Amino acid sequence: MKKTRLAAIDIGTNSIRCIVVEAGQQGRFMVLDDEKATVRLGEQLSKTGAISPAAFARAVEAISRIRKLIDGLKVTEVEAVATSAVRSAANGPELVEALSRELGREIRVISGEEEAELAAISALHNFEMNGKRYAMIDIGGGSVEIVTAQGNHIEEYYSLDLGAVVLTERFFPTDPIRTADFQKFQRHVRAELKRAFSGQKLAVQTFIGSGGTITSLGYMVMNMRRQEYSSVHGYETLRSELVHLLAMLMRRDIKGRRAIPGLNPDRADIIVAGLGVVDELMRFFGANTLLVNERGIREGLIIRCMRRLGLMAEEQGQRNWRQSALEFARSCHFDEPHSRHVAGMALAMFDSLSKEFRLKKSERRMLEAAAYLHDIGYFISYNSHHKHSYHLIRHADLFGFAPQEREMIAQIARYHRKSLPKKKHVEFLRMSEKDQQTVCRLGGILRLADGLDRRRSGLVEVVELLHTEGDYRIKLLGTEDISVEIFGGNAKKDLFEKAFEGNIVFVTS
């Protein structure tokens, strides 16, 4: 099947960003390139009412570079939109005309409500929120878009002129920022929220956020926690961490802020305003957690374009974690019958142990995903395939799993064969003690289940697991002679016995 290459360009108040993707079968797409140019179209806009000549020139230069990029990558469909700064600037139409000419394609100026809709399309494509009440936010340089939702049902779209660039210029003229100015900023944001929502009190537990401010927040919190994941996408932050970050940022001048780990130096001058808005939004809605959506408006444009071209059905915007894990495993040409059988045995053992060891539903999901994915390292090489599985999973786009969970799934799969966790295993030692214990327990279950399908023929079922006086009696049912499978189970029971502190005894009748 011929692949189609698409590009989405978002001309924002702070930056111009472009992603190029290759759309394949079943509504899937792969990002080939992600280009960003910090052009600051919003600088001095609130004072002059127009985009400055310098910003105008930077935008033209950025679009010229992007055109060369998309032409070189042989892109056939381009969705290009301009947002807040261009909407409000007196010379916005002039800029759009110049940029459209430079790009060789039409650029549309979209409303704040359409911005919010695009951010929501992306969020719904990336997060499983069934049965939950939440809000989606996209923080830009000129505006903030807010979408309230219940599960997959969108309630309302809002667009407020509370962007990081605009508010920085209006309220923070000094470096470092004065406390009195920050308090004025807070009062203004609170008044705007009260006006926009007509004084009604809306309550949500969780936000899903996109935009540069949000990704910066995720990376700074990750550094604060001394964690290291391959991506911040899906990362969960707490409002308490946001409050502490804001207090620390307020104490520093711009030079000091540029040195903060996780913060892009280009964003150091506007980060306080951006995070200040996020803090006020979480305060207003009573939200305690925020999930980072690294994709946002550009991905929303791609998904909408794919639907228009018939490359993605409307319902394909919705995914689930199991489908995502299986799709990724299939792309690596895994042995599906073996992996599904191992998953079934692993889950049977997990369910028998869950009450005594207070194992969680989220851990059951991780174990099932790891069982599907444990052998995908064969895609690279048989030798050390468990290590290859680890790296493939760690960098995979697994829907429904936070970065911490993706890391744990990768670790669980990594220990399905060969050595147990050791002090020289840096990635394992980087995890918290609690996460290490979880990896050992779930890894022990997976390792044992894999051993019990030694001939990859699905001959064994785990029908009972009893824990009595330090022993774990595992009753097996086989359709024929299963001595090879019992040998495989005995060879791979070591991590289970260590993690659950007991000896395994196999019973066949």
Side-chain angles (χ1 to χ4, degrees):
M1 180 180 175
K2 185 181 177 182
K3 304 278 187 175
T4 304
R5 290 189 173 181
L6 318 171
I9 302 169
D10 173 16
I11 301 168
T13 303
N14 184 55
S15 61
I16 296 177
R17 298 200 65 166
C18 170
I19 57 168
V20 177
V21 309
E22 188 167 78
Q25 300 178 34
Q26 300 175 325
R28 293 180 63 83
F29 58 88
M30 178 176 68
V31 177
L32 301 178
D33 208 299
D34 190 342
E35 175 74 9
K36 177 186 176 183
T38 304
V39 294
R40 289 289 169 90
L41 291 180
E43 70 177 10
Q44 302 300 310
L45 179 59
S46 58
K47 294 179 181 177
T48 66
I51 292 163
S52 71
F56 198 117
R58 289 195 295 268
V60 171
E61 181 186 356
I63 289 295
S64 174
R65 185 169 68 252
I66 286 170
R67 178 173 184 172
K68 291 172 185 173
L69 174 71
I70 62 179
D71 287 349
L73 289 170
K74 295 181 171 51
V75 170
T76 56
E77 294 282 338
V78 178
E79 288 279 343
V81 299
T83 57
S84 178
V86 178
R87 277 199 303 267
S88 59
N91 58 345
E94 182 187 341
L95 177 64
V96 169
E97 185 180 343
L99 296 183
S100 296
R101 190 165 54 247
E102 195 68 39
L103 186 63
R105 295 166 174 89
E106 179 193 2
I107 295 170
R108 292 189 305 114
V109 180
I110 62 173
S111 66
E113 287 72 22
E114 188 173 349
E115 275 191 81
E117 181 186 352
L118 290 167
I121 289 171
S122 172
L124 291 172
H125 184 70
N126 284 285
F127 295 88
E128 197 166 32
M129 301 301 286
N130 290 336
K132 298 176 184 176
R133 189 151 200 283
Y134 60 104
M136 295 165 271
I137 57 171
D138 186 86
I139 307 280
S143 63
V144 56
E145 277 60 55
I146 306 164
V147 183
T148 57
Q150 175 75 41
N152 293 327
H153 175 66
I154 300 298
E155 294 175 342
E156 296 286 348
Y157 297 103
Y158 303 88
S159 181
L160 284 65
D161 294 329
L162 294 174
V165 173
V166 172
L167 293 181
T168 297
E169 290 190 350
R170 179 172 175 182
F171 290 98
F172 304 144
T174 64
D175 179 39
I177 293 168
R178 293 184 297 236
T179 302
D181 289 337
F182 188 73
Q183 290 169 345
K184 285 180 187 175
F185 158 85
Q186 287 178 311
R187 287 194 294 271
H188 172 73
V189 175
R190 289 170 189 175
E192 288 297 299
L193 291 175
K194 189 175 180 181
R195 181 188 58 77
F197 293 94
S198 306
Q200 60 181 314
K201 198 67 177 176
L202 300 173
V204 301
Q205 179 61 26
T206 301
F207 273 5
I208 298 173
S210 55
T213 292
I214 301 294
T215 52
S216 294
L217 169 63
Y219 279 115
M220 285 188 287
V221 170
M222 192 183 287
N223 274 278
M224 280 171 52
R225 294 178 183 171
R226 293 182 173 83
Q227 294 174 330
E228 189 177 330
Y229 302 120
S230 60
S231 166
V232 77
H233 182 65
Y235 195 68
E236 183 180 85
T237 65
L238 303 176
R239 185 175 174 227
S240 57
E241 293 169 318
L242 169 57
V243 170
H244 290 315
L245 259 178
L246 262 175
M248 181 265 287
L249 289 162
M250 285 282 293
R251 291 193 297 268
R252 300 195 181 197
D253 60 11
I254 191 166
K255 184 179 178 182
R257 293 199 294 273
R258 285 190 178 120
I260 293 173
L263 177 60
N264 185 330
D266 289 344
R267 193 168 287 276
D269 57 336
I270 61 173
I271 192 63
V272 171
L275 292 183
V277 170
V278 178
D279 182 47
E280 290 301 326
L281 282 166
M282 295 186 80
R283 177 181 176 274
F284 182 82
F285 282 91
N288 186 50
T289 57
L290 183 146
L291 300 170
V292 178
N293 177 16
E294 232 179 345
R295 317 290 162 73
I297 288 171
R298 296 179 311 289
E299 186 184 60
L301 285 167
I302 291 292
I303 292 170
R304 199 162 67 178
C305 181
M306 288 180 67
R307 289 173 179 169
R308 176 173 58 80
L309 296 172
L311 299 171
M312 179 187 287
E314 193 71 26
E315 65 273 11
Q316 279 182 282
Q318 311 303 323
R319 297 185 289 169
N320 65 68
W321 65 268
R322 186 178 288 110
Q323 174 192 349
S324 174
L326 285 168
E327 282 180 357
F328 180 57
R330 287 170 188 142
S331 74
C332 297
H333 307 292
F334 80 137
D335 181 344
E336 187 159 348
H338 166 67
S339 296
R340 282 187 177 274
H341 188 67
V342 167
M345 288 193 291
L347 294 177
M349 289 187 276
F350 178 96
D351 292 341
S352 296
L353 296 163
S354 61
K355 187 174 181 180
E356 179 182 355
F357 292 94
R358 298 180 181 178
L359 304 178
K360 301 173 184 175
K361 288 182 180 178
S362 60
E363 293 170 344
R364 194 180 195 275
R365 289 196 316 150
M366 289 191 289
L367 175 61
E368 185 176 348
Y372 295 146
L373 299 168
H374 72 282
D375 273 342
I376 62 171
Y378 281 128
F379 186 59
I380 297 174
S381 168
Y382 173 78
N383 294 326
S384 299
H385 73 263
H386 56 299
K387 295 180 183 178
H388 298 314
S389 293
Y390 167 77
H391 290 291
L392 286 169
I393 296 167
R394 189 172 192 263
H395 296 283
D397 178 18
L398 292 181
F399 174 79
F401 294 104
Q404 180 182 9
E405 292 175 318
R406 289 199 296 272
E407 176 68 27
M408 291 171 74
I409 293 167
Q411 295 276 359
I412 293 161
R414 184 248 185 276
Y415 291 111
H416 85 272
R417 71 188 290 265
K418 295 291 185 180
S419 68
L420 306 189
K422 293 180 179 178
K423 288 184 178 180
K424 68 177 183 179
H425 295 167
V426 178
E427 293 88 355
F428 180 79
L429 292 178
R430 252 199 317 252
M431 296 191 300
S432 68
E433 285 187 20
K434 184 174 179 294
D435 287 352
Q436 288 178 4
Q437 182 188 56
T438 299
V439 165
C440 287
R441 285 177 171 177
L442 302 186
I445 293 172
L446 176 60
R447 188 181 178 97
L448 177 59
D450 186 59
L452 288 171
D453 196 32
R454 183 69 181 81
R455 285 180 284 180
R456 294 172 171 259
S457 51
L459 296 175
V460 171
E461 295 288 344
V462 174
V463 294
E464 187 177 64
L465 188 157
L466 294 175
H467 182 200
T468 54
E469 299 179 0
D471 285 339
Y472 291 90
R473 288 171 51 84
I474 300 179
K475 187 174 181 180
L476 305 176
L477 181 65
T479 55
E480 55 184 76
D481 176 23
I482 57 170
S483 57
V484 172
E485 281 65 38
I486 291 174
F487 177 85
N490 279 316
K492 286 192 161 187
K493 67 183 182 180
D494 45 1
L495 183 55
F496 183 106
E497 290 182 334
K498 183 177 179 181
F500 290 101
E501 299 178 338
N503 300 313
I504 287 177
V505 178
F506 294 116
V507 180
T508 57
S509 60

